[in-house]
Structures are given as C-alpha cells and as structure tokens.
Amino acid sequence: MNKTLLLFVSTFASVAAMTTRAETFSFDRDAAGAPPAGWRSGVTGRGSPRWSIEADASAPSRPNVLKQSGSGTFPWCVRPEVSLENGYVEVKFKPVSGREDQAGGVVWRWKDGDNYYVARANALENNVSLYYTADGRRNTLKYVDAAVPGNAWHTLRVEFVGKRIRVIFDGKPYIEMDDGHIAGAGAVGVWTKADSVTLFDDFRYGIRAR
C-alpha cells in the first residue's frame, strides 16, 4: 500500500470513528408517560422535578418530546454513560410556561448533580447565559441579551474544547470565552430551572477534536 493511500485510509478511519461517536435522541421510541430509557434525572438543590415522554403535535420530530413538568431549584436529566471532554451538545427546546422561570438548557462535563457546566436560554428574561455549577452552587460566567419567545421551538448548542466554550442560540453565536472550572470528561444532558415547564426534542452530542 503506497503512502498516499495509507494516509487516506488512516484519515477516513479517524473521521468514521468520530462520526460513530455522535448520537441523536428524538425520544420517539420511548414509552409515553415514563422517563426516557437510559437517562438519569434529578435536581441540584431541592424540589420534585418530573421528566416524562409525552406526545406533542408541535415536536420538530414527531410524535414525542421529553417534558419537564415538575419543579425544583435546577432539574436535570442526563445520559450517565456518556464520557465526553471535548465536543458539542445540542437540543431543540420549547419553553411552555412558568411564573418564576421559563428556561431550557444543556449540561456537559456533568460529574454528578452538583458539578457540571450549563448553558441556558430564558423566555421570561430574554437572555442566554453560561454557568458552572460546583458543589451544588451555580456560578455565573456570562449573560447576553437575546430574544427568546415563549411557546416556540428554539435550538441551543454548545461547543467545548479544552477551556474554550461557544454558546450558539438559534444559529447565532452569543457567548465565546475561556473557562477552566470544570475539567475532564463528563456526561451530557438537559436542564431547567424552578417552575419551568419545558419541552425538549432532538437532543444530540458528539466528539470534537482539539
């Protein structure tokens, strides 16, 4: 095998390996009324969150969505088997209601319910924000004003490589900065706040090389 062909095969194998490590969840194969299979849910702080699969005609990929309809300080739902250090996480979400908050977010480098990064958009505050949670305490890294209409579907994406974090909302970059508070690999998932009733669909994550 000549050097050019060997380089091509090696490059193709590397790209294929990265591609197979990406995954998307549309929740359409999960049973309605129950939590999604293979996910773990809980709350940072106190409360009684309720994560369940529900049918929704407005879902970007019908028929099902993941719905949070309980309440808590910071409810979360993650894929605990994922170990991702550098990559991306993305979700489509719809803030439905909430008197205190109407938020939808994603988490990454999730070590446990008290230690992880989170980025979120809020329909009551009309902003996008980035935090790190350490020892159960949420710490603000940055807020940016953004129009977040309620009862509408949005896309939130975060790309993270080393200390570099990039938050993209509805296709537009809003936050890009360096932060090293949460290092190493961790799980990925979704997040809400307080009494937010929020729908999620088409959750995806994948590897991104440094």
Side-chain angles (χ1 to χ4, degrees), residues 67-81:
K67 181 179 183 179
Q68 200 300 116
S69 56
S71 63
T73 310
F74 304 118
W76 46 260
C77 191
V78 301
R79 292 290 301 185
E81 86 287 356

Side-chain angles (χ1 to χ4, degrees), residues 86-99:
N86 301 307
Y88 68 88
V89 59
E90 178 180 307
V91 75
K92 295 176 183 176
F93 76 97
K94 180 180 180 180
V96 176
S97 64
R99 296 183 63 182

Side-chain angles (χ1 to χ4, degrees), residues 35 54 88 104 118 120 128 195:
E54 306 289 344
Y88 68 88
V118 57
R120 69 101 174 105
V128 173
D195 62 345

Side-chain angles (χ1 to χ4, degrees), residues 52-129:
S52 61
I53 301 298
E54 306 289 344
D56 188 276
S58 74
S61 58
R62 291 180 287 181
N64 291 345
V65 297
L66 173 60
K67 181 179 183 179
Q68 200 300 116
S69 56
S71 63
T73 310
F74 304 118
W76 46 260
C77 191
V78 301
R79 292 290 301 185
E81 86 287 356
V82 175
S83 183
L84 184 62
E85 180 176 6
N86 301 307
Y88 68 88
V89 59
E90 178 180 307
V91 75
K92 295 176 183 176
F93 76 97
K94 180 180 180 180
V96 176
S97 64
R99 296 183 63 182
E100 184 177 345
D101 266 283
Q102 294 182 22
V106 292
V107 301
W108 68 99
R109 293 185 185 166
W110 186 95
K111 315 297 185 180
D112 53 44
D114 289 333
N115 298 276
Y116 53 84
Y117 277 114
V118 57
R120 69 101 174 105
N122 192 306
L124 287 186
E125 299 177 4
N126 279 308
N127 58 30
V128 173
S129 53

Side-chain angles (χ1 to χ4, degrees), residues 4-171:
T4 301
L5 181 57
L6 182 61
L7 177 62
F8 172 80
V9 171
S10 177
T11 302
F12 178 81
S14 298
V15 172
M18 288 178 65
T19 302
T20 57
R21 297 179 73 177
E23 195 161 1
T24 300
F25 296 88
S26 64
F27 308 110
D28 295 328
R29 296 184 179 182
D30 290 286
W39 292 67
R40 177 184 170 191
S41 62
V43 60
T44 304
R46 299 181 179 181
S48 301
R50 183 177 185 273
W51 296 90
S52 61
I53 301 298
E54 306 289 344
D56 188 276
S58 74
S61 58
R62 291 180 287 181
N64 291 345
V65 297
L66 173 60
K67 181 179 183 179
Q68 200 300 116
S69 56
S71 63
T73 310
F74 304 118
W76 46 260
C77 191
V78 301
R79 292 290 301 185
E81 86 287 356
V82 175
S83 183
L84 184 62
E85 180 176 6
N86 301 307
Y88 68 88
V89 59
E90 178 180 307
V91 75
K92 295 176 183 176
F93 76 97
K94 180 180 180 180
V96 176
S97 64
R99 296 183 63 182
E100 184 177 345
D101 266 283
Q102 294 182 22
V106 292
V107 301
W108 68 99
R109 293 185 185 166
W110 186 95
K111 315 297 185 180
D112 53 44
D114 289 333
N115 298 276
Y116 53 84
Y117 277 114
V118 57
R120 69 101 174 105
N122 192 306
L124 287 186
E125 299 177 4
N126 279 308
N127 58 30
V128 173
S129 53
L130 173 64
Y131 311 92
Y132 72 93
T133 300
D135 297 325
R137 180 180 178 181
R138 189 185 65 164
N139 302 273
T140 302
L141 290 171
K142 193 168 185 178
Y143 278 94
V144 177
D145 291 337
V148 187
N151 280 302
W153 285 97
H154 304 282
T155 300
L156 182 63
R157 177 184 175 94
V158 178
E159 300 169 353
F160 47 97
V161 179
K163 294 183 178 182
R164 175 60 46 167
I165 301 171
R166 189 167 184 246
V167 182
I168 304 164
F169 176 68
D170 284 346

Side-chain angles (χ1 to χ4, degrees), residues 169-206:
F169 176 68
D170 284 346
K172 178 182 177 181
Y174 276 87
I175 297 172
E176 187 164 0
M177 64 179 295
D178 288 342
D179 184 78
H181 283 95
I182 309 291
V188 294
V190 294
W191 177 101
T192 67
K193 181 185 175 187
D195 62 345
S196 302
V197 176
T198 308
L199 309 182
F200 296 92
D201 200 6
D202 295 340
F203 174 84
R204 54 177 56 95
Y205 69 89

